[in-house]
Amino acid sequence: MKPNKTSVEFRFRHPAVAAKKPPSRAMTEALQRLSEAEEMRQFTAKAESQNRTVVVEVFHSAEDGHPLLIHTAAVSRKRA
């Protein structure tokens, strides 16, 4: 999902054995705030200048599906 006009994309990674649920409203809002945080501005600006997309991936546990890790990366727009 694209949060706004900036090139930040959210991806949710679930193990094959875990039930896939859509993210809660609170999770979506938290990720939106993360993508707009002061700490992310330089990273996002650099990605934009290189015609790249910032991807925020949320990895979920196989056991109960709760989020374990949030990973950020800048990827080429072809792969995003």
Side-chain angles (χ1 to χ4, degrees):
M1 92 182 84
K2 294 260 185 190
N4 54 33
K5 63 186 174 192
T6 62
S7 57
V8 178
E9 181 179 319
F10 303 129
R11 295 179 185 171
F12 299 89
R13 306 293 189 190
H14 301 84
V17 296
K20 294 178 183 171
K21 300 183 294 188
S24 69
R25 182 172 159 190
M27 174 65 82
T28 302
E29 290 171 0
L31 291 171
Q32 178 68 40
R33 286 191 304 275
L34 172 65
S35 72
E36 297 169 350
E38 184 177 329
E39 293 85 354
M40 291 289 289
R41 287 184 192 151
Q42 185 176 5
F43 183 61
T44 303
K46 184 176 180 182
E48 284 284 327
S49 72
Q50 297 172 345
N51 199 30
R52 297 169 72 87
T53 299
V54 173
V55 176
V56 177
E57 294 179 294
V58 180
F59 292 86
H60 296 266
S61 74
E63 192 173 299
D64 57 9
H66 72 274
L68 289 175
L69 173 71
I70 296 175
H71 174 259
T72 60
V75 298
S76 78
R77 294 234 165 122
K78 293 180 237 170
R79 291 182 27 199

